[in-house]
Amino acid sequence: MIYYILNNSMEKNMKTNKKRIEILDELRGFAILAMIVHHFFLDVGDVLDLDWGYTVFNALCKVQPIFWAIFIIISGICSRLSRNAVKRGLIVFGAGLVITFVTVVIMPRLMGIDGAKIYFGILHCLGACMIITGLAMPLIEKIDARIGALICAVLFSATYGISSGSLLFGLIKLPTPSTNALMPLGIFNNSFESADYFALFPWLFMFLVGAFLGEYAKDGKFPSWTYKKHSKALAFVGRNSLWFYLGHQVVLYALLYAFLEAMKIYYKIKLS
């Protein structure tokens, strides 16, 4: 049901003047695949206990924010095209809560996996951004798109270090909080851990950059090449991004555990 509503909404929202903005699907698909590859190396370290998995994962962390930004900007553009961004946001945030329940309650108790807990991941963040943007849309529509996008880009840069305890490019140092109650805002202490974490700040501002750029998509003013399909595979992944996000870790864990068991059987037979 969640998939049908989200996909049906995106199918409508990605079209302007009866033309689908194909590049948005393709970029979103590319960003999702980059995320899956990134998580694969983390899982190699967790499941196979191979240090090189962590090494590659940490190295890719330097470029991963680029793909996050692509995904979040596209979501912001789509929120400008949405007939009801608040409703979509509630659905996506609800899916995030399901992820939290599965990773915090189900996986540790039934599967013995304790290092994959997600408290405020990409779905929580996107859902909250959609709700906030939907409520603020009357104000957003009154602001010049270029000015709004520029201001939000500056605010994103100024708050990018909030999770590291600083603002304004390190000029302002934030005190370490005693609790993690403000974790959704990017403020937490050393006791907080989340396998997937996207705080509202700074990512709300990146989402709003997309919302302002969405004015051009809504008016059908994107470049002509953005309406042409360039990759069916990437477009497919992009149109089904929710399913790929919800299922990719299950599939990766299953494949890696199957490989691990196969190796155990192989070496057992070889040594017998």
Side-chain angles (χ1 to χ4, degrees):
M1 182 63 177
I2 290 175
Y3 167 73
Y4 172 78
I5 294 174
L6 280 179
N7 194 56
N8 188 50
S9 178
M10 288 179 182
E11 289 287 334
K12 294 177 180 178
N13 294 341
M14 300 281 280
K15 295 178 181 179
T16 57
N17 297 333
K18 299 182 180 180
K19 294 190 296 182
R20 186 178 185 87
I21 309 174
E22 299 288 350
I23 195 65
L24 297 184
D25 281 334
E26 293 165 350
L27 285 174
R28 181 163 49 200
F30 177 71
I32 282 289
L33 291 178
M35 177 202 68
I36 292 174
V37 171
H38 192 211
H39 287 176
F40 168 76
F41 290 108
L42 176 64
D43 296 342
V44 166
D46 288 342
V47 177
L48 303 183
D49 197 26
L50 296 174
D51 288 339
W52 64 263
Y54 295 124
T55 301
V56 177
F57 175 81
N58 291 332
L60 291 177
C61 282
K62 297 178 181 179
V63 297
Q64 188 67 7
I66 297 174
F67 305 117
W68 299 342
I70 291 172
F71 193 85
I72 292 173
I73 287 176
I74 291 174
S75 297
I77 292 173
C78 292
S79 73
R80 189 64 177 265
L81 304 174
S82 177
R83 295 180 180 179
N84 194 332
V86 174
K87 180 180 178 180
R88 287 183 62 210
L90 290 172
I91 294 171
V92 174
F93 193 84
L97 293 178
V98 171
I99 293 293
T100 296
F101 178 76
V102 170
T103 58
V104 174
V105 179
I106 302 298
M107 291 176 65
R109 294 185 180 182
L110 300 184
M111 303 172 63
I113 300 174
D114 197 43
K117 296 178 180 178
I118 298 175
Y119 291 99
F120 204 85
I122 186 64
L123 293 185
H124 303 80
C125 181
L126 286 179
C129 288
M130 290 176 189
I131 294 170
I132 294 170
T133 301
L135 294 175
M137 192 58 70
L139 175 61
I140 292 173
E141 290 176 342
K142 295 179 180 179
I143 301 173
D144 182 273
R146 291 168 295 183
I147 295 176
L150 177 60
I151 291 174
C152 289
V154 172
L155 290 174
F156 173 82
S157 299
T159 59
Y160 187 76
I162 189 170
S163 294
S164 300
S166 67
L167 295 172
L168 293 176
F169 315 103
L171 296 177
I172 298 177
K173 299 296 182 181
L174 300 175
T176 302
S178 58
T179 72
N180 294 316
L182 297 179
M183 165 269 299
L185 303 181
I187 301 173
F188 53 88
N189 57 39
N190 293 333
S191 67
F192 175 71
E193 291 183 359
S194 183
D196 182 33
Y197 179 59
F198 286 82
L200 277 175
F201 300 128
W203 295 108
L204 172 61
F205 297 121
M206 185 61 70
F207 188 94
L208 289 172
V209 168
F212 281 110
L213 294 178
E215 178 180 320
Y216 300 104
K218 188 175 182 180
D219 295 338
K221 294 181 179 179
F222 269 27
S224 59
W225 59 268
T226 63
Y227 298 93
K228 299 177 182 179
K229 185 171 291 186
H230 308 88
S231 171
K232 291 183 178 180
L234 290 178
F236 174 79
V237 176
R239 285 194 298 270
N240 296 277
S241 57
L242 181 64
W243 278 127
F244 276 90
Y245 176 80
L246 292 175
H248 80 280
Q249 281 291 61
V250 175
V251 173
L252 290 179
Y253 268 105
L255 291 175
L256 289 173
Y257 272 115
F259 176 78
L260 184 62
E261 290 303 315
M263 288 297 98
K264 289 180 179 179
I265 294 173
Y266 169 77
Y267 283 109
K268 185 177 181 179
I269 294 174
K270 186 176 181 180
L271 295 174
S272 61

